[in-house]
Amino acid sequence: MTHATHTVEKIGGTSMSRVHELRDTLLVSDPARPYGRIFVVSAFGGITNLLLEHKKSGEPGVYAAFASREEDHGWLAALDRASDAMIAAHRVVLDHPGDVEQADGFVRDRLAGARNCLIDLQRLCSHGHFRLSEHMLQTRELLSGLGEAHSAFVTALMLQRAGISARFVDLSGWRDDGEVSLDQRIQRAMQDIDPQTEMPIVTGYAQCREGLMREFDRGYSEVTFSRLAALTGAREAIIHKEFHLSSADPNLVGADAVRKLGRTNFDVADQLSNLGMEAIHPKAAKTLRQSGVPLRVTNAFEPHDPGTLIDDQPATRPAVEIVTGLDLFALELFEQDMVGAKGYDAFILEVLTRHQVRIVSKVSNANTITHYVDSSLKVLRRVEKDLTERYPSAQVSSRAVAMAAAVGRDLSGLSVLSRGLMALAKAGLEAIGAAQGPRPVEVQFIVEREALPASIKALHGALVEGQAEALPKAA
């Protein structure tokens, strides 16, 4: 199936909780021509937290309670809470009693099936020949897929009630017998669907041989979205967020000071991902880039605004496009005898990889190697222990810092490093370190952690608000 005129569009969880508000604006933007669009949906806001664990607080959901086994059936109460929340979510979205009844039945059926599956698994693993730990990844995927299946089913019901030929496309593999790849899962589901005559509402979770959660955990929906766009030959892939992709966080620098990007490229998107500000998961971006499918990021609640186009094109002029930052730890190894010796870099990298520590940046000199890492302090202490055991005469330390970064498709000729340092000094701030690579796409400023908000504001004022030439307008 190849269509050169359709789009594949993704709606995130927070927006999904208000999907009824988007029905006549975003989903049915042109009642005369409502088709030519495939929608990939996330679970309603908060549902995945209840099914797995809270993304920020870590409060256990069904999966975490089942995995802990502190109470044999403590996870049943968590499953009931998830069921109640799912029913409450679709009753906000659906108006017709018949639709509500269907949605209630869908939740009861799916969650009863999940409950029976987990009880059977628990019973099976009570025998010595079977280990629960060997089945936890599949359990996590089973539970997570319930959220997207629910939201996609409900959205299709809502659209059908409005006279749209919407089809619920379930990639979650519910009660499927065979094992298929992600591409096979998508191709089989879409083979008889013509987006020009109906509107597919597709689950963000796809059950497949690769096991999306093994590599992407809760970032799987963007992988499904990008692969669907690539396989169906979409004209454009669109992500609808609750905000525009802007030059900085408006809560930090002020809503009047930020600028919508309008246009950027996948290179910038990758830099933002490295800085913890994902426009799209880097693996999903890679799929779109290699398939020649441009990405557009829009504000779901401003459907007539074109948002920001992300493609592979260079900038028409140098400009700082965005200033952002994140909290990090500086992991430093100082060894007086390091100069001229080999192996330090390789071993540090091996330890960081083994402990699954994400490296954001790195600097070194004759006898010191410093990695700026995104990690918990608990994990970092294990890294320090391993390094100290290998290099007992070295001084291994870590400290909490933050990184503010100025990013753009082309920063050449803008003196971003020197102007940024001057802006920080003028604001009474001091940079612990700064780095600029030979490719003019990013300049990094290391600051004290508590100084990050003020640093972003100062850099944005000097490098974005104060730059002589405005950012390129949206295409």
Side-chain angles (χ1 to χ4, degrees):
M1 184 184 83
T2 302
H3 298 275
T5 58
H6 76 275
T7 57
V8 174
E9 310 183 27
K10 178 180 178 295
I11 306 176
T14 305
S15 297
M16 281 301 299
S17 295
R18 299 169 59 187
V19 70
H20 54 300
E21 299 177 35
L22 302 174
R23 187 191 68 184
D24 298 328
T25 55
L26 176 66
L27 291 159
V28 191
S29 56
D30 184 355
R33 286 188 304 113
Y35 303 113
R37 307 167 79 192
I38 300 172
F39 283 94
V40 177
V41 298
S42 297
F44 290 116
I47 297 301
T48 305
N49 286 339
L50 292 171
L51 290 169
L52 301 180
E53 67 283 315
H54 197 285
K55 192 173 184 178
K56 293 182 178 179
S57 71
E59 182 180 351
V62 181
Y63 171 82
F66 184 78
S68 70
R69 294 194 292 181
E70 291 179 3
E71 299 177 36
D72 285 348
H73 295 290
W75 58 270
L76 285 170
L79 194 66
D80 288 340
R81 288 192 294 272
S83 175
D84 292 343
M86 292 167 79
I87 290 172
H90 69 237
R91 291 190 175 192
V92 171
V93 171
L94 300 173
D95 296 323
H96 195 280
D99 296 338
V100 172
E101 184 179 352
Q102 283 193 66
D104 287 352
F106 183 89
V107 170
R108 285 194 297 269
D109 176 66
R110 291 290 173 114
L111 268 65
R115 179 184 291 107
N116 292 337
C117 178
L118 295 187
I119 289 173
D120 289 344
L121 180 59
Q122 204 170 45
R123 185 182 300 117
L124 178 69
C125 292
S126 66
H127 299 279
H129 293 82
F130 301 93
R131 297 287 180 268
L132 186 62
S133 59
E134 296 174 0
H135 303 279
M136 291 314 297
L137 181 61
Q138 293 89 338
T139 300
R140 188 171 179 83
E141 296 217 3
L142 168 72
L143 291 168
S144 185
L146 296 172
E148 275 85 6
H150 171 238
S151 63
F153 181 80
V154 169
T155 303
L157 276 181
M158 178 192 72
L159 290 168
Q160 290 163 5
R161 181 63 58 183
I164 301 297
S165 181
R167 187 193 292 204
F168 167 49
V169 181
D170 188 2
L171 303 181
S172 71
W174 185 251
R175 295 195 172 120
D176 277 7
D177 293 330
E179 187 177 61
V180 297
S181 69
L182 176 60
D183 285 5
Q184 289 171 328
R185 174 75 65 193
I186 292 172
Q187 288 167 333
R188 291 181 184 181
M190 300 298 295
Q191 63 185 354
D192 296 325
I193 297 176
D194 181 1
Q196 304 304 325
T197 59
E198 57 185 325
M199 185 180 290
I201 308 298
V202 186
T203 58
Y205 168 73
Q207 192 279 331
C208 58
R209 185 184 301 119
E210 298 92 325
L212 292 184
M213 297 198 82
R214 180 181 293 110
E215 182 173 358
F216 306 107
D217 197 50
R218 289 167 70 161
Y220 55 77
S221 62
E222 291 186 356
V223 177
T224 303
F225 156 76
S226 63
R227 201 73 205 128
L228 180 60
L231 289 172
T232 60
R235 171 176 58 84
E236 199 169 79
I238 304 173
I239 295 180
H240 300 289
K241 295 182 176 286
E242 302 79 51
F243 48 81
H244 283 297
L245 193 57
S246 302
S247 57
D249 183 346
N251 295 320
L252 291 180
V253 306
D256 294 336
V258 299
R259 301 176 182 180
K260 184 187 72 176
L261 292 196
R263 187 162 190 173
T264 191
N265 63 17
F266 286 114
D267 194 355
V268 168
D270 288 342
Q271 307 308 321
L272 297 181
S273 177
N274 188 50
L275 292 162
M277 182 185 172
E278 284 188 2
I280 185 172
H281 193 285
K283 290 293 180 67
K286 178 181 178 181
T287 296
L288 294 176
R289 175 171 49 79
Q290 292 181 339
S291 302
V293 179
L295 171 68
R296 190 177 297 276
V297 180
T298 74
N299 184 325
F301 299 95
E302 296 181 18
H304 299 296
D305 191 302
T308 294
L309 180 67
I310 302 175
D311 56 18
D312 60 357
Q313 297 302 303
T316 57
R317 65 189 72 174
V320 174
E321 298 178 13
I322 190 165
V323 177
T324 186
L326 77 165
D327 292 339
L328 297 171
F329 284 98
L331 174 68
E332 184 176 280
L333 186 146
F334 167 76
E335 170 67 271
Q336 192 71 61
D337 298 328
M338 183 188 301
V339 61
K342 296 180 180 179
Y344 286 87
D345 252 339
F347 183 74
I348 295 172
L349 182 60
E350 187 274 321
V351 172
L352 291 172
T353 301
R354 176 159 27 95
H355 289 284
Q356 298 183 321
V357 175
R358 190 173 75 87
I359 303 168
V360 177
S361 188
K362 169 197 160 186
V363 294
S364 63
N365 58 31
N367 49 27
T368 306
I369 300 175
T370 303
H371 286 85
Y372 297 108
V373 299
D374 184 10
S375 171
S376 70
L377 187 58
K378 181 179 179 180
V379 171
L380 210 54
R381 292 292 181 244
R382 296 174 189 154
V383 171
E384 292 175 14
K385 180 176 180 292
D386 288 357
L387 293 176
T388 301
E389 288 177 356
R390 175 66 177 264
Y391 302 111
S393 61
Q395 296 177 21
V396 181
S397 62
S398 59
R399 61 177 291 195
V401 297
M403 175 186 289
V407 183
R409 287 169 288 176
D410 182 6
L411 304 182
S412 60
L414 297 179
S415 303
V416 173
L417 180 60
S418 57
R419 289 171 58 209
L421 290 171
M422 289 175 61
L424 292 175
K426 188 175 180 180
L429 303 166
E430 182 178 1
I432 301 169
Q436 176 178 312
R439 286 191 65 249
V441 295
E442 180 189 31
V443 179
Q444 301 171 346
F445 302 88
I446 306 301
V447 298
E448 299 290 352
R449 184 169 288 190
E450 63 272 13
L452 180 60
S455 298
I456 291 175
K457 185 174 178 64
L459 291 170
H460 187 271
L463 303 175
V464 177
E465 299 168 58
Q467 64 189 358
E469 297 178 277
L471 293 174
K473 294 181 180 179

